[in-house]
Amino acid sequence: MNNEYQTYHLVDYGFQINPEFPVVGYTEKITNAICVSHAHPRAQLIYASSGVMNVVVENQIWVVNPLQGLWIPGGMEHQVSFQQDVNLYSVFIDPSFTAGLPATTFSFDISEFLKQLLFKIISFKIDGIITPSQRRIMDVFMDELASIQPSATFLPTTNHLVLSNVVELLLEDVASKHTIEYYAEISCMSSRTLSRLFIKELGMNFSDWRIRLKLLEAIKRLGEKQSVKEIAFDLGYETTSAFIFMFKKHLGKTPSNYILEDFA
């Protein structure tokens, strides 16, 4: 995997406060780039028709694939990295129109209808006057946004001094087979205490968090066109079938079907 990222230069649409243009958007193809941590007053919907994005907001990490969008409220600091080739689509909503929209960041399964509205809005020119027809499309778009529901494809992290060190070790070695007892010992605490920290700080136990980590890493690698066999062994599975079983159990489809449906 290529970890050499270029710096992606921010577009200024998110910083423009203008109720005359409730929704503005743009599209761009981005390759191996990172958009440094930033915040803007407009809320944002991020979507990629192909490729994978890694998005960090507060203490959570999302790996966003082509079947999902990511909603980010205005004023929320975030960082986005684009894995290899990403066809990015993004829209920004003026603060005066976000009262009925979600107030927290989350990824969601994006419907075909919402995608088509997104594409249509991005096609509008933003240097003229919004027509009544365009405004009606924007209103329908915002009605659809108000009804989106979160998906579970995110990875919680933490600022807790001890637990963040354990999390960093796990992120650096996704294939690790070390038990919670190992991480507890190097953290100078009991495994019971560390287990309680995982639940308190991350909302899930050690095993579930590590499985979530492997799933998100698998999704990212699938988006990079790596083979299922290669991913399985890189994530520490003894057999490809064991990895496929885990993937299907948690995501409802095999990695091969995920490739066909999500990254076609």
Side-chain angles (χ1 to χ4, degrees):
M1 186 172 72
N2 190 344
N3 290 318
E4 296 182 2
Y5 294 110
Q6 302 175 15
T7 300
Y8 173 72
H9 297 290
L10 290 172
V11 297
D12 64 357
Y13 301 141
F15 300 91
Q16 298 175 3
I17 305 300
N18 185 354
E20 295 299 316
F21 291 88
V23 185
V24 296
Y26 79 106
T27 180
E28 184 176 356
K29 186 172 183 178
I30 306 171
T31 301
N32 284 346
I34 185 167
C35 186
V36 296
S37 187
H38 65 284
H40 37 68
R42 280 185 179 251
Q44 183 179 15
L45 188 156
I46 304 175
Y47 169 69
S49 61
S50 64
V52 178
M53 297 177 288
N54 194 61
V55 185
V56 180
V57 185
E58 294 185 320
N59 287 332
Q60 294 181 333
I61 301 171
W62 281 269
V63 175
V64 185
N65 64 59
L67 277 190
Q68 295 181 318
L70 185 73
W71 171 253
I72 304 175
M76 189 71 69
E77 189 168 345
H78 56 286
Q79 175 179 291
V80 186
S81 59
F82 304 91
Q83 311 290 332
Q84 298 191 356
D85 295 328
V86 176
N87 287 323
L88 173 68
Y89 295 84
S90 185
V91 294
F92 301 89
I93 296 92
D94 192 85
S96 59
F97 290 86
T98 58
L101 300 181
T104 59
T105 299
F106 57 81
S107 60
F108 61 96
D109 297 331
I110 189 167
S111 68
E112 187 62 31
F113 182 51
L114 187 57
K115 279 194 289 185
Q116 294 306 316
L117 290 170
L118 174 69
F119 298 154
K120 187 66 175 178
I121 289 171
I122 288 174
S123 73
F124 297 160
K125 293 182 179 180
I126 59 172
D127 56 354
I129 298 174
I130 298 295
T131 67
S133 175
Q134 291 173 338
R135 180 55 189 268
R136 287 193 295 270
I137 290 173
M138 292 179 181
D139 288 340
V140 173
F141 177 75
M142 287 186 281
D143 284 344
E144 288 296 303
L145 281 182
S147 65
I148 57 177
Q149 296 296 320
S151 67
T153 53
F154 72 95
L155 188 72
T157 59
T158 178
N159 291 323
H160 187 281
L161 182 60
V162 175
L163 189 56
S164 63
N165 291 333
V166 175
V167 165
E168 189 62 31
L169 289 172
L170 289 164
L171 289 170
E172 290 174 354
D173 185 9
V174 182
S176 170
K177 296 180 181 179
H178 293 308
T179 64
I180 191 172
E181 284 77 18
Y182 168 83
Y183 293 103
E185 183 177 352
I186 63 176
S187 302
C188 300
M189 65 175 62
S190 70
S191 59
R192 179 175 294 183
T193 299
L194 182 56
S195 179
R196 288 172 177 168
L197 271 179
F198 262 87
I199 294 172
K200 178 183 178 181
E201 295 289 327
L202 302 176
M204 60 185 71
N205 63 38
F206 173 83
S207 297
D208 289 343
W209 190 92
R210 184 150 67 174
I211 288 173
R212 181 75 65 86
L213 170 63
K214 290 178 183 290
L215 283 171
L216 295 191
E217 183 67 19
I219 290 171
K220 181 170 67 176
R221 291 172 181 242
L222 287 169
E224 295 169 350
K225 310 301 183 183
Q226 295 186 25
S227 71
V228 173
K229 182 177 181 180
E230 181 182 7
I231 295 170
F233 287 107
D234 283 350
L235 295 187
Y237 288 90
E238 297 291 340
T239 65
T240 304
S241 59
F243 165 67
I244 293 173
F245 176 83
M246 181 278 298
F247 195 96
K248 185 176 182 181
K249 177 182 178 182
H250 291 276
L251 295 181
K253 61 183 75 173
T254 66
S256 295
N257 286 337
Y258 200 90
I259 295 170
L260 291 173
E261 294 177 23
D262 294 15
F263 302 107

